[in-house]
């Protein structure tokens, strides 16, 4: 609960910091409504639509309403998938408005001591420090490899957790040993004639929990003709901070990454996680008001490219790609599609694999409900969205569901478990499937 004093301060900052021109850009036309998962799944509640949330923000700016718990609930219920942006005839940058509003509310809200402690540990103590991420993930590796996981599962302790958290434990990837996570490459030569010199954004969770996917990404780049530089001093992209009302922390991470990549003499910065890529490409907006960093951020953002885009540019689809006969479908990463504008490239690569039948999923461009930690903090709505997504996935009769973001991957694996299809259907990251298909 926010106090009167807190609400007054929030209202003042809304007036001072929210981009009123952007708020006024919304024409209330409703083109965004059919694209918004929370609007649809909430039974068409206006307050859970992009148009409705913009109206609430504008009302707070104008002093018509107070920034009370209902306003905060509406903003928190948003997935931040940004599917509303490509269909908006006025080009409203809804994602920027949402992050600004969340940041103002969070910076002026008194969290309980447990919540404050958790946020401090996560946002300040863990994610900005890759060595700590490695050590923390190393504990998960020990849990999986020592036999402790088998013991925990056999005792039924997991049944004490909420159903979704218990299921999440079963879909986590097998984490490599800590020694492997700490021994990462910094420079790789192309395996064929060099066509491009690129830098690889390895990320925090991607280079620990999903390290094998990073390895697959780098191998594909090498096979496509890329020399790869992997800066050792790069950091977490800051997406978790930016989406959770920790904008200052996101800015600090952005500056660290810009410094790490800006003097490398490269053609592109390559990402393999839609959520990370979308936040990285938005650094120019994040630092637009900082005279010392705005231009540097713009130069950084211009070099961002998703792995699927560069593979298509380098005609990787002309390689001999083959898999055992199967039906596959693709679930878009919202941020890859809506922010990085990358949707045809993954499909082109998948359709190039011999023996594979590609079937388009209905509403593949609609969010799966993962959205960072949304499936934990807004579990009910997340599972409602996932159930709808799985109906569409099952209708394709695909045995392989492909996506391009770690959160989406875990969410689709969770959906497969919830549907009892784990013996028939698998979910896999695009680059892992492509590496399976490479016939060297």
């Amino acid at each position: 609960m926010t106090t009167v004093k807190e609400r007054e301060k929030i209202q003042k900052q809304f007036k001072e910091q929210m981009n009123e021109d952007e708020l006024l850009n919304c024409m209330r036309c409703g083109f965004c409504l059919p694209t918004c998962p929370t609007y649809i799944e909430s039974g068409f509640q206006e307050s859970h639509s992009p148009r409705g949330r913009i109206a609430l923000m504008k009302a707070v700016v104008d002093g018509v309403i107070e920034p009370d718990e209902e306003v905060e609930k509406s903003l928190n219920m948003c997935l931040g998938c940004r599917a509303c942006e490509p269909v908006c005839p006025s080009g409203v940058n809804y994602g920027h408005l949402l992050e600004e509003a969340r940041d103002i509310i969070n910076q002026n809200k008194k969290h309980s001591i447990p919540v404050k402690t958790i946020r401090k540990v996560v946002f300040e103590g863990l994610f900005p420090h890759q060595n700590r991420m490695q050590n923390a993930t190393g504990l998960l590796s020990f849990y999986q490899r020592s036999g402790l996981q088998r013991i925990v599962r056999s005792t039924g302790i997991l049944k004490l957790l909420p159903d979704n958290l218990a299921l999440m434990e079963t879909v986590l990837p097998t984490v490599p040993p800590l020694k492997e996570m700490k021994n990462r490459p910094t420079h790789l030569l192309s395996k064929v004639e060099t066509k491009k010199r690129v830098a690889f954004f390895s990320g925090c969770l991607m280079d620990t929990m999903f390290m094998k996917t990073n390895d697959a990404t780098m191998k594909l780049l090498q096979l496509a003709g890329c020399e790869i530089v992997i800066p050792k001093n790069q950091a977490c992209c800051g997406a978790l901070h930016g989406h959770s009302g920790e904008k200052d922390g996101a800015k600090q991470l952005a500056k660290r990454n810009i410094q790490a990549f800006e003097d490398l003499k490269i053609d592109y910065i390559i990402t393999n996680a839609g959520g990370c890529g979308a936040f990285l490409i938005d650094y120019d907006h994040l630092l637009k008001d900082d005279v010392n960093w705005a231009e540097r951020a713009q130069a950084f953002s211009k070099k961002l490219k998703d792995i699927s885009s560069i593979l298509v540019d380098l005609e990787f689809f002309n390689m001999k790609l083959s898999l055992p006969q199967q039906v596959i479908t693709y679930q878009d990463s919202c941020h890859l599609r809506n922010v990085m504008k990358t949707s045809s490239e993954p499909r082109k690569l998948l359709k190039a694999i011999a023996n594979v039948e590609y079937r388009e999923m209905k509403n593949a461009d609609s969010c799966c409900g993962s959205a960072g930690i949304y499936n934990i903090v807004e579990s009910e709505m997340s599972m409602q969205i996932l159930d709808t997504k799985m109906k569409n996935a099952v209708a394709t009769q695909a045995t392989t569901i492909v996506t391009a973001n770690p959160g989406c991957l875990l969410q689709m694996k969770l959906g497969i478990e919830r549907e009892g299809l784990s013996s028939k259907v698998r979910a896999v990251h695009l680059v892992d499937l492509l590496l399976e298909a490479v016939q060297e």
Side-chain angles (χ1 to χ4, degrees):
M1 297 288 286
T2 52
T3 65
V4 173
K5 190 174 181 180
E6 286 169 349
R7 290 198 295 271
E8 287 175 351
K9 194 173 179 183
I10 291 170
Q11 196 144 23
K12 183 173 183 291
Q13 284 189 238
F14 259 69
K15 182 71 176 173
E16 292 172 351
Q17 292 175 223
M18 294 298 292
N19 186 331
E20 198 158 3
D21 288 339
E22 199 72 78
L23 291 170
L24 288 169
N25 269 348
C26 177
M27 302 185 300
R28 311 290 188 266
C29 65
F31 277 40
C32 60
L33 301 182
T35 71
C36 179
T38 54
Y39 174 71
I40 295 166
E41 296 295 342
S42 68
F44 310 110
Q45 288 187 41
E46 185 71 15
S47 62
H48 291 323
S49 73
R51 180 177 70 179
R53 292 183 181 107
I54 290 173
L56 289 174
M57 295 179 210
K58 182 70 168 63
V60 172
V61 168
D62 292 342
V64 176
I65 62 172
E66 289 188 336
D68 57 15
E69 281 70 30
E70 287 304 308
V71 172
E72 186 178 359
K73 179 182 176 183
S74 173
L75 297 179
N76 287 341
M77 189 64 73
C78 180
L79 293 148
C81 68
R82 297 173 71 167
C84 50
E85 293 184 12
V87 299
C88 178
S90 300
V92 176
N93 288 303
Y94 172 80
H96 297 162
L97 292 172
L98 177 70
E99 286 180 6
E100 190 68 41
R102 282 177 170 172
D103 185 61
I104 293 169
I105 290 172
N106 179 64
Q107 297 309 319
N108 291 286
K109 185 178 179 179
K110 287 184 180 177
H111 295 290
S112 66
I113 291 175
V115 171
K116 190 184 293 185
T117 301
I118 291 170
R119 290 182 72 95
K120 189 173 182 65
V121 168
V122 171
F123 295 122
E124 296 178 30
L126 185 58
F127 276 83
H129 308 280
Q130 189 62 6
N131 62 323
R132 296 178 190 175
M133 287 292 293
Q134 290 169 342
N135 291 333
T137 316
L139 293 175
L140 178 57
S141 176
F142 174 79
Y143 166 75
Q144 292 176 334
R145 294 169 186 275
S146 64
L148 184 58
Q149 183 180 55
R150 187 175 63 254
I151 294 169
V152 167
R153 289 178 176 179
S154 65
T155 59
I157 293 174
L158 292 173
K159 291 179 182 177
L160 298 175
L161 296 173
D163 289 346
N164 292 334
L165 286 180
L167 271 178
M168 282 180 192
E169 190 273 346
T170 69
V171 302
L172 291 175
T174 301
V175 181
L178 181 59
K179 186 178 179 181
E180 287 185 30
M181 286 189 277
K182 288 187 176 291
N183 185 28
R184 304 299 288 144
T186 56
H187 181 241
L188 294 168
L189 296 174
S190 170
K191 289 185 178 292
V192 295
E193 180 188 352
T194 302
K195 300 173 184 175
K196 297 290 180 183
R197 177 179 162 90
V198 302
F200 179 50
F201 182 81
S202 51
C204 49
L205 279 175
M206 285 304 300
D207 214 42
T208 50
M209 189 179 293
F210 297 91
M211 194 184 86
K212 295 303 179 186
T213 299
N214 269 7
D215 289 344
T217 302
M218 290 185 281
K219 189 166 184 181
L220 291 178
L221 287 170
Q222 288 178 290
L223 292 170
C226 293
E227 178 188 357
I228 313 165
V229 182
I230 309 101
K232 203 170 181 62
N233 54 341
Q234 62 180 292
C236 167
C237 69
L240 183 62
H241 295 71
H243 300 328
S244 304
E246 297 283 345
K247 201 170 183 181
D248 285 344
K251 288 180 178 179
Q252 293 308 311
L253 290 168
K255 291 173 183 178
R256 283 174 59 186
N257 282 321
I258 291 168
Q259 281 183 314
F261 285 86
E262 65 184 346
D263 295 324
L264 295 180
K265 296 179 181 178
I266 50 170
D267 298 303
Y268 303 113
I269 300 168
I270 305 300
T271 66
N272 63 358
C276 296
F279 200 76
L280 292 166
I281 210 168
D282 254 357
Y283 276 2
D284 57 347
H285 172 77
L286 184 68
L287 297 172
K288 64 181 173 60
D289 297 322
D290 191 321
V291 293
N292 296 317
W293 288 91
E295 193 173 328
R296 295 164 74 180
Q298 286 177 4
F300 177 92
S301 297
K302 286 177 182 176
K303 288 189 175 180
L304 259 292
K305 204 173 188 72
D306 181 67
I307 175 65
S308 62
S309 292
I310 192 167
L311 290 180
V312 168
D313 287 352
L314 297 177
E315 299 185 341
F316 186 80
F317 48 81
N318 285 333
M319 285 191 68
K320 189 178 178 183
L321 303 174
S322 179
L323 284 172
Q325 276 197 330
Q326 58 192 283
V327 176
I328 62 175
T329 191
Y330 179 69
Q331 164 59 27
D332 283 283
S333 156
C334 296
H335 288 110
L336 181 60
R337 183 184 184 102
N338 300 324
V339 184
M340 295 193 77
K341 313 300 182 190
T342 303
S343 59
S344 63
E345 294 90 337
R347 290 168 168 84
K348 187 166 188 174
L349 292 165
L350 291 173
K351 290 174 182 178
I353 303 172
N355 301 322
V356 159
E357 180 184 350
Y358 177 83
R359 292 181 187 169
E360 185 70 17
M361 186 195 310
K362 180 183 177 184
N363 296 334
D365 57 345
S366 179
C367 186
C368 64
S370 171
I373 57 171
Y374 186 92
N375 55 4
I376 297 173
V377 297
E378 298 290 348
S379 178
E380 185 178 350
M381 177 59 78
S382 174
M383 292 304 105
Q384 199 172 326
I385 291 168
L386 178 58
D387 289 344
T388 300
K389 177 61 63 179
M390 287 309 300
K391 287 177 185 174
N392 293 335
V394 170
T396 66
Q397 298 183 309
T399 53
T400 302
I401 302 172
V402 185
T403 189
N405 186 62
C408 304
L409 179 61
L410 291 181
Q411 185 81 338
M412 298 312 295
K413 286 186 174 184
L414 187 62
I416 290 168
E417 289 290 333
R418 281 167 62 86
E419 294 290 325
L421 295 172
S422 57
S423 63
K424 301 176 183 177
V425 182
R426 65 169 178 159
V428 63
H429 193 289
L430 173 67
V431 298
D432 291 313
L433 189 73
L434 289 174
L435 191 59
E436 280 182 37
V438 170
Q439 306 294 302
E440 291 188 75

